[in-house]
Amino acid sequence: MTGLWSRAAAVAAQTPASRNRYVDFLRALSIGAVVLGHWIQAAPYTGGAEITLSNALEYQPWTRWLTWVFQVMPVFFLVGGYSNGVSWQSASQKGKSYAEWLEARLRRLLGPVLALLAVWVLLGAGMGLGGVDAGLVGGLSRMALIPTWFLAVYIMVVLVVPLTYAAWRRFGLWSFWALVAAAIIDDVLFLAADLTVVGWANYAFIWVAVHQLGYAWRDGYTAGLRRGAAWAALGGAALVAMVTLGPYPVSMVSVPGDEISNSLPPKLPMLALALVHTGLLLSIEGPMRRWLDRAVPWTATVLVNGMIMTIFLWHLTAATLVIGVALLLGDVGLGVDPATGGWWTVRPLWLAVYALALIPCVLAFGRLERSGSAGRSRPGWLLAGGAVVACAGLALLALGGIAAEGAGPLGLRLWVLALPFAGAALAGVNPLAGARAG
């Protein structure tokens, strides 16, 4: 760990004065919230004949209010909008093509996830050979691969950055409000007209809208305590109204048994939550940036950002492996009822074990985050096409896991597993490039 801190300190010392360190800090903070939230809500339970892969939101409804804090996907897209706006403008000024810009982005985003999927193919095959039920393999892998849905959506948003940035430059905040209007119409069609298929369009409308807020942040539209508070108040009022007067549930993540999910696909409360998070976080940007001028907090931020994709992608796999070991050891620790206070008593121990299990994953696969050097140049349309194919596979894996009853050899969904690798190959993404560069 001393060596990692020293390397991070060396990188931190070279940070140019023009860099907005708060962007990197929010990215790291969000990862921490995601990891902690997932680990807390995970509630595997063997009170019956078989293990139940449930979560605390089902057993203790009051915890659903906590998702207003731990559902930080809006912050990811906000930070992504800021970063993508900076990088795309810089690339354009330097005369770089869309293909050159996108290639570097895809290496950083797609490369690390391929290693995760490869490990799960091996785990799935091993469990299948060992006689483990394909349905259980699918459930475990579906839980572990939850982060891939975000990656799939985020990559799709990255693909259209030249268009969204051009819309921002021409129309400013109207490019955000137009998407808000589209999301409202989409929800009305979904809820009132029962056109559930159109609801999936809100993956584009809502997350691109939040991404536009990242452009607004960069250009100073949300700067300062007064503006930040106004955005937060607007979002907070809308959010409270929607969950108390409207048809929307309180939870900002899906809860089994709820008729409506605010996140699958995203609904208007998620957009309102994005305004709350944006306003609150950016209202304190000034003092936070001054704090990040100090060596220790900035070095810690650099350290986390250097392995951020690895932490994000592997944190649920680490938890799943811990649960698997607990099953092999005779269901140790899995018999505590999630509906009781005793379940909370043992949470700190589970969190500590999950964290210990994550460390070797980060050490083993963290190097894959380093983007390495570019390979043979490919046209932009081929890069984008490959990314779409890969994202389709990632989304299907997040929804259904790697295995299902009767799916194929050993129960593995081979054609779904093949999509991310095929898409990466089309895009020229080599998952080992970062490791060689490191």
Side-chain angles (χ1 to χ4, degrees), residues 70-203:
F70 288 104
Q71 174 54 281
V72 290
M73 288 301 108
V75 182
F76 275 104
F77 284 92
L78 173 73
V79 169
Y82 190 108
S83 300
N84 289 327
V86 171
S87 66
W88 175 245
Q89 184 182 50
S90 175
S92 300
Q93 291 173 345
K94 295 176 181 178
K96 291 186 177 181
S97 67
Y98 171 65
E100 291 176 295
W101 176 82
L102 182 60
E103 188 176 45
R105 284 280 205 260
L106 292 180
R107 285 200 310 272
R108 180 71 184 269
L109 293 170
L110 275 180
V113 76
L114 298 181
L116 175 67
L117 297 182
V119 168
W120 268 103
V121 170
L122 295 176
L123 289 173
M127 285 187 282
L129 290 172
V132 179
D133 180 73
L136 179 56
V137 176
L140 290 171
S141 61
R142 184 169 60 250
M143 182 179 75
L145 297 178
I146 287 174
T148 62
W149 81 260
F150 159 76
L151 192 61
V153 177
Y154 183 73
I155 290 174
M156 296 301 292
V157 172
V158 168
L159 293 182
V160 296
V161 160
L163 298 178
T164 59
Y165 189 72
W168 170 256
R169 298 301 296 171
R170 182 169 182 178
F171 302 110
L173 278 176
W174 286 111
S175 66
F176 165 75
W177 291 115
L179 290 165
V180 172
I184 293 173
I185 294 171
D186 192 78
D187 261 17
V188 170
L189 293 175
F190 181 92
L191 297 169
D194 201 27
L195 297 176
T196 55
V197 174
V198 303
W200 296 94
N202 261 349
Y203 270 111

Side-chain angles (χ1 to χ4, degrees), residues 265-332:
K267 306 287 190 306
L268 290 174
M270 190 68 71
L271 187 53
L273 182 67
L275 296 183
V276 174
H277 285 178
T278 297
L280 292 178
L281 292 172
L282 298 190
S283 67
I284 59 172
E285 181 182 5
M288 288 302 297
R289 290 181 70 169
R290 289 190 292 273
W291 178 66
L292 288 167
D293 285 335
R294 301 178 181 180
V296 172
W298 178 234
T299 299
T301 301
V302 170
L303 177 64
V304 174
N305 273 276
M307 58 185 74
I308 201 163
M309 279 289 291
T310 307
I311 294 173
F312 177 68
L313 290 173
W314 286 88
H315 76 279
L316 284 177
T317 291
T320 303
L321 293 176
V322 168
I323 294 168
V325 171
L327 284 170
L328 293 175
L329 295 176
D331 301 345
V332 60

Side-chain angles (χ1 to χ4, degrees), residues 3-19:
L4 291 174
W5 181 267
S6 298
R7 286 195 291 270
V11 174
Q14 299 174 12
T15 304
S18 59
R19 188 178 186 89

Side-chain angles (χ1 to χ4, degrees), residues 190-191 247-249 251 253-255 257-262 264 267:
F190 181 92
L191 297 169
Y248 302 99
S251 177
V253 301
S254 298
V255 179
D258 280 355
E259 294 184 5
I260 298 173
S261 168
N262 285 326
L264 185 67
K267 306 287 190 306

